[in-house]
Amino acid sequence: MAGASLAAECAPHARVLLVEAEDTPGYHTTGRSAAFWEETYGGPAVVPLTMASGRFLREGGFLSPRGALNLGQAVDSEKVEAFVETFSALGATLHLQGRAALEARIPGLRPEWVVGAWEPACADIDVAGLHQHYLAASKRTGTVLRVRARVDQIEREGGGWRIAWASGEARAGVIANAAGAWADELAQRAGAAPLGIQPLRRTIVQARTDPAPSDDLPLTLGINEDFYFKPQGGRLWLSPHDEIPDVAGDAAPEELDVAVAIDRFEHVVDWKITAVERRWAGLRSFAPDRLPVYGFDTVVPGLFWFAGQGGFGIQTAPAAARLAAQLLLGLPRDGLTAEIDAKAYSPARFAAG
């Protein structure tokens, strides 16, 4: 999603080559996402990107209403109240919910869950549709896509770059590093210092349940970020909300994480898991401060970072890609990005001293 969206935003103004290591774009994190658009996801500093992207996603038909419910037990009451207060002040829509309201939204909710925060604006994202939108827009405006092109060499050539892979090479004035879990590795090939972008593994399980989830069941999350679940085509997608340090590669779920996901789910509702149909994992890559990185490297000229977008990279893609293209090409801000403080996401924040 990062590469496709940035290419689409740059292509009307520049010659763009999109270099993809796999057989097809979106094989890794983008193709494994259980993505939803949630105003609070990613924390307060990500809210401006999320809110700016929301209108684009709604008007493009990429969102389907879902709603989200953040659950807590009695001991979590103050935490839930603070959550509502913090994000409401930033423009998000949240409502405190008591036990009766929770029961009405989640049948079979166990009695210890007594407080919650309702987010009515939360919506499912058509991830494949959004990704294809950006790939198609990029192609229409002249982007050249190369697949099966894992970059193994980057070197300076005059005032620009020579980039090589097994079956070819290219020359460019600027490299946009949208390599996700491989972002630090790619930067080092270009002679830049790594920023400490860490891939973290997230596990998803698709299960049949008794009772089956209703189509209007909200996205349900623990206020302590230890589980979430949502319906999907008559099945349930559930996660232990894990963030396990991993290495860049083809992530695979661990049986222990699958078991934890099921156990935590069964401590929330009195439903039964009757079958586990699928399980998968994806890598979500974070900078040390958990904010994305958009901007030129502070030492290596012509290297632009578009990385560290964590689990919110899809829901923030429209605003993030537009902002990054403006920074990369020196374009003016527009209505989508006018209220975003780009300095908050600059790689300069990691510069020594």
Side-chain angles (χ1 to χ4, degrees), residues 184 194-198 285-291 293 308 349-350:
D184 270 357
L195 297 183
I197 293 179
Q198 172 67 57
S285 302
F286 289 91
D289 61 2
R290 297 183 68 87
L291 295 183
V293 185
R349 69 189 191 268
F350 298 115

Side-chain angles (χ1 to χ4, degrees), residues 78-94:
E78 290 185 3
K79 190 171 188 176
V80 174
E81 291 170 5
F83 178 82
V84 171
E85 182 178 351
T86 295
F87 286 100
S88 294
L90 295 172
T93 301
L94 294 103

Side-chain angles (χ1 to χ4, degrees), residues 188-236:
Q188 288 176 292
R189 289 186 183 275
L195 297 183
I197 293 179
Q198 172 67 57
L200 302 176
R201 191 173 69 248
R202 169 63 53 86
T203 304
I204 304 288
V205 177
Q206 177 176 299
R208 290 204 307 267
T209 62
D210 182 19
S214 63
D215 290 339
D216 61 355
L217 184 76
L219 169 68
T220 304
L221 312 97
I223 194 65
N224 293 308
E225 300 185 349
D226 51 0
F227 67 84
Y228 71 78
F229 56 86
K230 58 174 280 193
Q232 186 72 27
R235 302 296 192 259
L236 197 76

Side-chain angles (χ1 to χ4, degrees), residues 255-274:
E255 286 303 318
L256 176 60
D257 301 322
V258 172
V260 169
I262 293 171
D263 180 68
R264 290 179 180 175
F265 170 74
E266 291 181 337
H267 279 83
V268 178
V269 293
D270 62 8
W271 307 8
K272 300 298 181 185
I273 302 287
T274 59

Side-chain angles (χ1 to χ4, degrees), residues 16-203:
V16 177
L17 172 67
L18 182 57
V19 182
E20 168 60 57
E22 305 297 344
D23 291 347
T24 184
Y27 174 77
H28 290 285
T29 301
T30 297
R32 308 177 191 196
S33 174
F36 37 81
W37 184 85
E38 185 193 9
E39 291 173 314
T40 62
Y41 191 42
V46 176
V47 169
L49 294 165
T50 299
M51 301 296 269
S53 297
R55 181 176 176 181
F56 180 101
L57 294 170
R58 282 190 294 272
E59 292 180 352
F62 301 113
L63 298 184
S64 302
R66 170 63 57 199
L69 195 56
N70 298 269
L71 295 178
Q73 301 184 13
V75 70
D76 302 313
S77 294
E78 290 185 3
K79 190 171 188 176
V80 174
E81 291 170 5
F83 178 82
V84 171
E85 182 178 351
T86 295
F87 286 100
S88 294
L90 295 172
T93 301
L94 294 103
H95 306 288
L96 275 173
Q97 306 278 276
R99 174 67 194 183
L102 301 184
E103 285 183 292
R105 297 191 190 279
I106 307 176
L109 184 67
R110 294 193 182 277
E112 57 266 33
W113 302 96
V114 295
V115 63
W118 171 241
E119 298 183 63
C122 178
D124 294 336
I125 302 175
D126 177 2
V127 179
L130 181 63
H131 190 217
Q132 289 303 313
H133 162 81
Y134 279 126
L135 289 172
S138 179
K139 183 177 181 179
R140 283 196 306 271
T141 46
T143 291
V144 175
L145 171 64
R146 292 285 181 265
V147 297
R148 296 181 291 278
R150 187 175 299 277
V151 172
D152 53 29
Q153 187 176 13
I154 302 174
E155 60 183 15
R156 297 298 304 191
E157 188 174 86
W161 298 97
R162 175 181 170 272
I163 307 109
W165 53 95
S167 60
E169 64 177 28
R171 285 162 177 81
V174 174
I175 295 172
N177 182 359
W182 290 264
D184 270 357
E185 177 185 328
L186 186 76
Q188 288 176 292
R189 289 186 183 275
L195 297 183
I197 293 179
Q198 172 67 57
L200 302 176
R201 191 173 69 248
R202 169 63 53 86
T203 304

Side-chain angles (χ1 to χ4, degrees), residues 262-319:
I262 293 171
D263 180 68
R264 290 179 180 175
F265 170 74
E266 291 181 337
H267 279 83
V268 178
V269 293
D270 62 8
W271 307 8
K272 300 298 181 185
I273 302 287
T274 59
V276 172
E277 295 184 332
R278 294 174 57 209
R279 63 201 78 192
W280 67 95
L283 297 178
R284 308 154 74 252
S285 302
F286 289 91
D289 61 2
R290 297 183 68 87
L291 295 183
V293 185
Y294 312 140
F296 282 100
D297 191 85
T298 57
V299 175
V300 176
L303 177 65
F304 186 91
W305 290 83
F306 190 55
Q309 301 190 58
F312 47 82
I314 293 174
Q315 75 168 34
T316 60

